[in-house]
Amino acid sequence: MLALTNVKAGYGQVPVVHDVTLEVRAGEMVSLIGANGAGKSTILKTIMGAVRPLSGQVHFLDEDITGRPTPDIVRRGIVYVPEGKLVFEPLTVEENLRLGAYLVNDKQVVQERLERAYALFPRLAERRNQRAGTLSGGERTMLAIARGLMSGPRLLMLDEPSLGLMPKLVTEMFATIAALKKTGLAILLVEQRAREALELADRGYVLRTGRIVASGSAAELLSGEVLVQAFLGR
Amino acid sequence: MLRVRRWIRTIAAVLGLIVFVGTLPSAAQETVKIGVILPLSGPLAPTGQELRRGYELMVDIVNNVYPELAALGLEVAGWNGIPSLGGAKIEPIFADSRGEPAVGADMARRLILEQGVVGLMGAYQSSVTQTVATVAERHGIPLVNSDSSSPTLTTLGYEWFWRVTPHDMIFDDDLFNLLDGLVEGKAPGVPAVPKDSIRRLAVVVENTEFGSATGNDIVNRLAPERGYEVVEYMRYQANSPDLTSETARLVNSGADVYLFASYVSDAILFMRTLALRGAKPTLIWGQNAGFTNPDFVQALGPALHGVLTRSLFIAKIGEVRPIAAAINELYRQRYGTNLSEESAREMLGVLAWAHALNNAGSTNPRALQRALNELDIPGDQLITPWQGIKFGSRRPGEKNQNIYATGMIGQYQYNPETGGVTLEIVYPFEAATADMVFPFPGWD
Amino acid sequence: MDVVLDIGISGVLMGLVYALLALGLTVIFGIMDTVNFAHGEFLMLGMYAGYLTYAYLYPEPLAGVPVAGLVGMLLGVLAYTLLVKRLLSGPPIAQIFGTFGLMLFLRYGALAVFGPNLRSATQGLVVAKRLVVGGLTLDAAKVVAAAGSAFLFGLVYLMLRRTKLGLALQATAANREAARYMGIDTDRMNLIGWALGGATAGMAGALLVNFYYVSPTVGMVFSMITFTTVALGGFGSVPGALIAGILVGLIEVFTAQVISPQLKLAVIYTVFFLVVLFRPRGLLGAR
Ligand SMILES: Nc1ncnc2c1ncn2[C@@H]1O[C@H](COP(=O)(O)OP(=O)(O)OP(=O)(O)O)[C@@H](O)[C@H]1O
Ligand SMILES: [Mg+2]
C-alpha cells in the first residue's frame, strides 16, 4: 500500500533521514520506533508532501506520490495526525472535525462521519460546541485522531499520540488505536513508547539517527536486543 | 619671398577676422544676470514652475517692446532692455533650491561666485529665503524678494534684502480692515453693519507653524487692538479623517465670524461639514492656502457662495486695472491659464528689479543698493491695486518692506445664470469688482 | 446631552468605516502574520476607482463601490502573487520592507499618474445630503458609508463563520501546519486573504468618496488610524476590529469635543500605546 524506497529527506540541504525503505501493507499496523530527534516525524512529513525528499521515492497504491502537494495526498487517502495535538484552538470541536473532512464535498458523508466520530469518542460529542483550546490533553488527542478519521483515510499516520498523556490515558488511547485497527484501517504509528507500540503492531521498524537499524515482525523486535540498542545507541 | 609675404597677409587676415568676430559676442553679452532661486524640484515643483512663468513673462516684457502694453502706460513695455544700461537685457539664471534652506544658500553662493550675477530673487519658502538672504548680505549682492511672507524677514536689519509683497501680518491687517470697513459702511454694496453682528470671532487654524502664526497674530494682536472678541481659538489636527466634532464645537461657540487657516483637504472637509450642519455665521474667511486652491472650488462649487478668502492677486483685478487685464491675456496666450498668485508675485519682483537697474544706471552693487532704497514706482505701473512700490518701514523694527503692499480679499459668488462660481474682489474697497454678499447667506 | 448624542453618533458612523478598513488588515495578519503597510494605499486606489467611475462612467459615487471592490481585490491578488509570496521564505523583516516599499510605490505611482490634485464627488444620491432622524441632523453620505461598512463587515463575518471557505481561512489562521494536513491549500488561503483585504479596503474607499476628497496621499490619513484599530482590537481578531473601530471613532470625536481637537490623534495613539503596553494581544486578540 505505502512504500518508501531509499528516501533521503531533511530541512534545507541538510538530510535528517537517510536511505529509508519502509512498507505498510493494506490492513496492516506498523510501528515506527525511535528516540527523540531520530527523524520519525520527518519521515511522516515527507510522506505528506510537507517535507520535500532529497532523493528516493514514495509510492501509495502503486502510484508515485513523491513530493506531491499535501491536498493531493490527503485526497488519495493518507491522513496525518500530527505530533503535539495540533488542534484549531479558537474553533469549536465540531468545526475542528468538519475541517478534517475539508476535501469531502458530500455533506451527507460528512454528517455520517461526524456521527461515527461522536460514537467513537462520546466525550467529544459532549463538548461539540466548546472551543478546542479549552480541551484537556486527552481530549485533544481524541479530537486530533477523530479529525484525522473525518477524511475517510485508507492509511492513518499517528505521530506520538501518547505524548504528554498521563498513564491511564495512554492505556485508553492505545485501546482506541487497537479498536481502529480492527476496522481494517492501515495504520502507521510513530512512538517512543516502543513496547506498547510494538505489542499492538503487526510489524515494526527501528530508526536511529535517521537510519533504519532494524525491522521485522513485532514479536521478533520485542524479543530481540535491537530495541535496547536502538535506544541506547550501542 | 613672395610666398612669405602672402602667408603673412593671410595670417593677418585670419587674425583680423578673429578679432572682429570676437567683438561680436561681447556686444551680445551686454546682459544683466539676475539669479533666481526657486523650489523647482521636490514637492513644491508645481509651484516652482508657476513662479518661474511669472519671471519669464515679465523679463520678456522688459527686454522687448510690447506696444499694446506700452499704450496702456506700462513703462517697461516700451523698453528694449534696460534703457540706462544701453538696452542691456535681463538674463534670469534659475537655480533649484529643492525647497531646502542649505541648498538655497549654496545656490546663492554659486550664482554670485561662479555666474557673477548682479542680483538675486527668490526663494519662496521663508526658511530658504532667510538663508539666501544671509549669503546676499555677506557678499553685498541685492536680494529682491516677492514670494516670501514671513514677517521676520524684514525685521532682521538686512542691508541687502528688500521685499516687494506683503507679509502675513499685513494680510491679517487686511482682514480687520475689511471688518472695520463693514462697520463703517465702506464695503461695496453693504450699508454699515452693527459691530455686534461681527464682533465674536472663532479662529480655526491647523496645528502647524502656518496655522499658529495666523492664529496667534489674530488672537493676540489684532482682535484686542481692534476691539473684537475671540470666543473660540481652535487648533485642530491637520489632515483629519473627520471634522464633525470640530465643526460642532465651532457652531456651538456662537461666533459671528469664522476665520480659517487650513490647507485644501481640511478646508474642503470643514466647509462640507459646516454646510451639512446648516451653520450660519455672518462671515467666513480663509487665510489663502486651501481657500484659493482650484480643488477647493471644484469640490464645493455653488456651496462657496459668500465665502471670503485673502489672496495676493485675483485675476478679476483686470476689470478695474486695464494693465493687469492685458498682462493676464498675454499670460493666458502663453501658458493657457490665468495669472495666479504665484506668477503675479514674480512679475512684481522683476518689475522692481527693472526700475532699480534703470535708476541705478550701473550694475555696481552700491549703486543698486541706493537705487532700491530710493525706489518709488507709481501704482499705475502695477498689476495690483497698490499705491506703488516704495521700501520703508510700516512698524517698529521693520526695514526695506514695500510700505504700499496690501493683499486682496475675494469673495466666491455664485452666478445662477452661468452656473459658475467666480472670485470677486471685495477688498481693497476701491478695487472691488462686485458688491459684497453680506451677511453670509448660509447653505440652504 | 444633545451634543453628546450628536457627536456620539458621528463617532460611531466613522468608527464603522474604520472597522471595515481594519477588517482587511486583521484578516491578512491573522492568516499569515504579515502586516500590510500598503493597506492605506489600497484604500486610496479604491477611492480613485470609485471616483473615476463616478466621473467618467456613471455620475453616482455609490456605483463605484463594486468597481472599487474589484480593483481592490485585483490589487490584493497582484500584491500577494508578485510580491508578498516571494518574501515569505525570507525573514519577517523582508515582508515589512516589502509591503512598506509597495506603499511608497503605490503612493508615488498614484501621484505620477493622477497628479497631486484633490478630487471630490459633487453630486449623487447621498452627496451633501442631510438625513433628519428624530430631531438629529445626520450626514446622509456618512450614514450610508457606515451602513455599507457594517453590511460588508457582517458579510465577511458570516462568510468566515458560516462557510467552508471561511472555516478553512480560520483554520489557516489558527494553525497553518495543521491546516495543511487537513488538505487545505494554505497558499491559496493567503491569496484569498489578500483578495478579501484588498476588496474591503477598495469598497471602503468608494464609500468614502461620497463625502471625502480623493488624493494620492489620502491613504496616509487613514492608515495610522487603521493600524491603531487593528492593534487595539487584537491582531487577527475580526470582532475586535469592529469594537476597536467604533471605540476609535468615539475617542476621536469626544477628545476633540471635550479635550482639544489638536490632541485627538495623540489621545488615540496614547490609548493604543497603553493597550500595547498592558494588553499586547489587544482587546480581543487570541494570542
Ligand atoms: N523544521 C525543521 N527545520 C530544521 N530542522 C528540523 C526541523 N524539524 C526537525 N528538525 C530536525 O530534524 C531532526 C529530526 O526531527 P524529527 O522531528 O523528525 O524527529 P523525531 O524523531 O520526530 O523526534 P521526536 O521524537 O522528538 O518527535 C532533529 O534533529 C530536528 O532538530
Ligand atoms: Mg516527532
Side-chain angles (χ1 to χ4, degrees):
Chain A
M1 190 176 211
L2 175 78
L4 273 66
T5 326
N6 302 330
V7 167
K8 178 153 113 180
Y11 305 91
Q13 288 308 308
V14 189
V16 170
V17 293
H18 311 268
D19 208 23
V20 168
T21 298
L22 167 160
E23 191 187 11
V24 181
R25 301 188 197 107
E28 191 183 37
M29 172 157 171
V30 173
S31 288
L32 178 60
I33 313 294
N36 272 341
K40 306 179 295 291
S41 299
T42 304
I43 293 177
L44 298 192
K45 287 176 186 171
T46 308
I47 298 167
M48 288 312 286
V51 170
R52 193 168 276 280
L54 299 168
S55 66
Q57 283 97 44
V58 183
H59 281 83
F60 185 64
L61 298 174
D62 299 327
E63 277 182 87
D64 189 352
I65 60 161
T66 321
R68 312 240 4 132
T70 313
D72 183 49
I73 289 171
V74 175
R75 208 173 271 117
R76 284 164 192 263
I78 305 181
V79 83
Y80 174 48
V81 178
E83 160 183 31
K85 291 119 190 143
L86 302 182
V87 297
F88 303 113
E89 296 191 3
L91 304 181
T92 64
V93 167
E94 180 144 333
E95 283 168 335
N96 267 271
L97 292 175
R98 287 186 182 279
L99 280 161
Y102 179 71
L103 292 175
V104 182
N105 288 321
D106 190 333
K107 283 192 179 154
Q108 189 72 40
V109 174
V110 175
Q111 200 55 41
E112 279 167 25
R113 288 191 189 154
L114 207 52
E115 275 154 30
R116 219 183 306 151
Y118 286 142
L120 193 63
F121 301 103
R123 285 274 279 288
L124 294 182
E126 288 164 28
R127 304 200 179 333
R128 63 171 74 190
N129 291 320
Q130 197 171 314
R131 283 184 49 224
T134 62
L135 297 182
S136 72
E139 290 162 347
R140 281 178 191 225
T141 311
M142 286 180 208
L143 178 58
I145 295 174
R147 187 182 62 184
L149 294 172
M150 287 297 290
S151 66
R154 299 183 214 219
L155 171 64
L156 176 66
M157 305 198 299
L158 299 170
D159 197 347
E160 293 196 47
S162 71
L163 196 75
L165 295 187
M166 48 195 253
K168 185 176 147 267
L169 287 177
V170 172
T171 321
E172 216 172 272
M173 199 261 322
F174 278 118
T176 308
I177 296 174
L180 286 174
K181 187 190 168 205
K182 285 216 184 75
T183 65
L185 186 63
I187 297 176
L188 177 56
L189 173 66
V190 160
E191 264 302 336
Q192 282 191 61
R193 291 172 175 270
R195 190 152 300 279
E196 288 99 324
L198 284 173
E199 274 165 3
L200 275 180
D202 301 309
R203 289 190 304 112
Y205 294 88
V206 179
L207 195 66
R208 196 172 75 198
T209 55
R211 290 175 200 277
I212 304 247
V213 291
S215 63
S217 74
E220 275 169 31
L221 289 174
L222 276 170
S223 63
E225 285 284 294
V226 256
L227 266 189
V228 187
Q229 278 182 15
F231 279 91
L232 301 181
R234 263 192 270 125
Chain B
M1 246 341 179
L2 214 92
R3 251 155 86 212
V4 172
R5 223 183 292 156
R6 220 170 52 210
W7 266 112
I8 289 169
R9 237 185 292 158
T10 316
I11 288 167
V14 169
L15 279 177
L17 202 70
I18 289 169
V19 170
F20 174 71
V21 171
T23 61
L24 285 181
S26 79
Q29 264 167 6
E30 277 299 319
T31 65
V32 182
K33 287 185 185 171
I34 306 278
V36 187
I37 300 166
L38 292 178
L40 293 170
S41 65
L44 282 170
T47 310
Q49 284 311 320
E50 194 70 30
L51 293 161
R52 182 178 176 145
R53 289 172 172 181
Y55 278 114
E56 283 175 341
L57 182 58
M58 192 46 108
V59 164
D60 208 36
I61 293 171
V62 172
N63 285 349
N64 302 289
V65 178
Y66 279 79
E68 35 344 318
L69 290 178
L72 291 170
L74 183 64
E75 211 185 316
V76 294
W79 296 359
N80 210 339
I82 306 295
S84 72
L85 295 176
K89 310 274 188 196
I90 294 181
E91 185 190 352
I93 299 181
F94 292 96
D96 182 8
S97 71
R98 303 207 298 263
E100 293 169 27
V103 179
D106 190 43
M107 286 299 151
R109 223 169 280 126
R110 285 204 202 170
L111 286 167
I112 294 168
L113 299 177
E114 292 170 20
Q115 299 279 346
V117 299
V118 305
L120 290 168
M121 292 178 71
Y124 193 64
Q125 293 119 302
S126 296
S127 55
V128 185
T129 307
Q130 168 116 39
T131 62
V132 172
T134 47
V135 175
E137 199 68 16
R138 192 170 321 127
H139 292 270
I141 292 290
L143 166 58
V144 174
N145 169 278
S146 58
D147 53 22
S148 302
S149 65
S150 165
T152 26
L153 288 169
T154 35
T155 60
L156 299 170
Y158 288 148
E159 305 270 324
W160 297 91
F161 179 85
W162 294 264
R163 174 158 50 196
V164 175
T165 43
H167 54 67
D168 290 332
M169 288 165 89
I170 300 178
F171 287 128
D172 299 338
D173 290 343
D174 291 335
L175 164 67
F176 281 81
N177 292 344
L178 173 78
L179 294 177
D180 287 349
L182 278 164
V183 176
E184 291 157 16
K186 286 194 204 153
V190 184
V193 306
K195 185 156 185 178
D196 268 349
S197 66
I198 52 171
R199 199 174 49 84
R200 297 154 59 79
L201 313 179
V203 180
V204 184
V205 300
E206 61 167 46
N207 60 343
T208 59
E209 202 192 328
F210 156 66
S212 41
T214 302
N216 293 341
D217 192 34
I218 292 175
V219 173
N220 301 332
R221 180 175 70 99
L222 280 157
E225 236 171 50
R226 310 271 190 115
Y228 293 82
E229 183 193 350
V230 176
V231 294
E232 170 84 42
Y233 183 17
M234 185 193 297
R235 274 152 287 200
Y236 69 90
Q237 176 68 46
N239 291 317
S240 273
D242 183 50
L243 291 170
T244 311
S245 198
E246 288 79 351
T247 307
R249 210 176 151 130
L250 186 53
V251 171
N252 294 338
S253 73
D256 306 311
V257 177
Y258 297 171
L259 308 174
F260 290 95
S262 304
Y263 278 105
V264 62
S265 51
D266 299 324
I268 292 174
L269 228 50
F270 261 123
M271 291 303 115
R272 282 196 161 175
T273 320
L274 281 170
L276 280 160
R277 212 158 252 281
K280 210 179 164 309
T282 49
L283 202 135
I284 295 179
W285 170 91
Q287 166 71 303
N288 193 272
F291 279 73
T292 47
N293 191 302
D295 298 339
F296 178 71
V297 183
Q298 185 265 326
L300 297 154
L304 286 179
H305 186 63
V307 172
L308 299 165
T309 175
R310 76 94 172 145
S311 180
L312 176 91
F313 181 83
I314 296 169
K316 271 265 171 177
I317 190 73
E319 286 182 8
V320 292
R321 288 235 156 182
I323 285 183
I327 290 181
N328 188 48
E329 192 45 42
L330 206 58
Y331 190 86
R332 278 178 75 86
Q333 280 168 14
R334 199 164 293 192
Y335 303 113
T337 60
N338 275 332
L339 265 177
S340 60
E341 163 156 350
E342 283 78 25
S343 39
R345 283 176 173 280
E346 307 312 359
M347 299 199 90
L348 291 162
V350 175
L351 196 78
W353 255 122
H355 282 279
L357 283 162
N358 194 42
N359 295 351
S362 142
T363 55
N364 174 287
R366 286 283 165 202
L368 286 171
Q369 187 187 37
R370 195 173 329 111
L372 282 162
N373 284 337
E374 291 166 5
L375 194 67
D376 192 355
I377 306 176
D380 62 14
Q381 296 296 307
L382 307 179
I383 53 174
T384 42
W386 304 343
Q387 260 185 62
I389 298 176
K390 187 173 167 65
F391 296 111
S393 159
R394 295 226 314 198
R395 65 189 80 233
E398 195 172 66
K399 185 176 173 162
N400 293 353
Q401 167 66 39
N402 177 12
I403 53 169
Y404 296 134
T406 65
M408 296 183 194
I409 295 176
Q411 182 173 48
Y412 289 103
Q413 294 188 359
Y414 175 63
N415 184 339
E417 279 152 41
T418 61
V421 175
T422 46
L423 187 58
E424 300 287 352
I425 300 166
V426 294
Y427 177 93
F429 302 126
E430 327 69 85
T433 55
D435 282 349
M436 182 173 168
V437 175
F438 185 90
F440 176 71
W443 276 289
D444 291 291
Chain C
M1 199 57 222
D2 240 15
V3 179
V4 172
L5 190 64
D6 176 12
I7 292 299
I9 289 176
S10 156
V12 172
L13 294 180
M14 279 313 280
L16 286 166
V17 178
Y18 299 157
L20 181 63
L21 275 172
L23 176 68
L25 203 58
T26 213
V27 163
I28 291 175
F29 184 85
I31 291 174
M32 50 193 293
D33 288 4
T34 296
V35 176
N36 177 20
F37 282 100
H39 199 69
E41 275 50 46
F42 285 13
L43 168 86
M44 177 267 293
L45 289 170
M47 287 176 92
Y48 271 106
Y51 176 80
L52 295 174
T53 308
Y54 155 85
Y56 296 106
L57 294 178
Y58 189 75
E60 167 56 60
L62 290 173
V65 176
V67 179
L70 282 176
V71 168
M73 181 183 291
L74 195 70
L75 211 59
V77 167
L78 289 178
Y80 177 71
T81 43
L82 299 183
L83 178 74
V84 180
K85 195 176 168 176
R86 288 155 202 259
L87 300 174
L88 284 180
S89 51
I93 194 86
Q95 291 165 45
I96 290 173
F97 280 114
T99 63
F100 196 81
L102 181 66
M103 168 193 95
L104 295 177
F105 171 75
L106 293 177
R107 184 180 299 168
Y108 293 103
L111 194 62
V113 173
F114 302 119
N117 293 54
L118 275 71
R119 299 155 198 239
S120 311
T122 51
Q123 49 169 314
L125 201 61
V126 293
V127 175
K129 299 272 161 54
R130 283 177 209 156
L131 197 70
V132 181
V133 189
L136 276 172
T137 308
L138 303 173
D139 180 344
K142 262 184 210 164
V143 172
V144 166
S149 297
F151 173 75
L152 291 168
F153 197 101
L155 212 62
V156 173
Y157 184 72
L158 280 181
M159 190 279 280
L160 287 173
R161 293 302 307 174
R162 294 280 141 79
T163 68
K164 195 166 169 179
L165 174 63
L167 207 55
L169 286 168
Q170 287 191 73
T172 310
N175 193 319
R176 166 167 297 265
E177 192 190 351
R180 283 187 70 181
Y181 298 139
M182 301 299 108
I184 294 170
D185 184 345
T186 51
D187 208 42
R188 219 177 113 240
M189 295 301 128
N190 293 348
L191 181 71
I192 290 169
W194 278 80
L196 203 67
T200 49
M203 285 190 281
L207 286 168
L208 282 173
V209 171
N210 281 293
F211 61 93
Y212 212 83
Y213 59 84
V214 185
S215 86
T217 49
V218 73
M220 252 189 304
V221 176
F222 289 92
S223 42
M224 277 316 290
I225 289 246
T226 309
F227 285 118
T228 311
T229 305
V230 171
L232 201 59
F235 274 96
S237 165
V238 172
L242 182 67
I243 289 169
I246 294 172
L247 208 60
V248 167
L250 288 173
I251 295 174
E252 186 184 348
V253 291
F254 282 109
T255 306
Q257 194 66 29
V258 181
I259 307 176
S260 160
Q262 64 175 334
L263 291 179
K264 64 182 191 181
L265 292 187
V267 170
I268 290 174
Y269 297 151
T270 307
V271 171
F272 163 64
F273 187 65
L274 291 177
V275 167
V276 167
L277 216 60
F278 294 109
R279 201 180 158 86
R281 65 202 177 88
L283 298 176
L284 296 184
R287 271 157 269 243

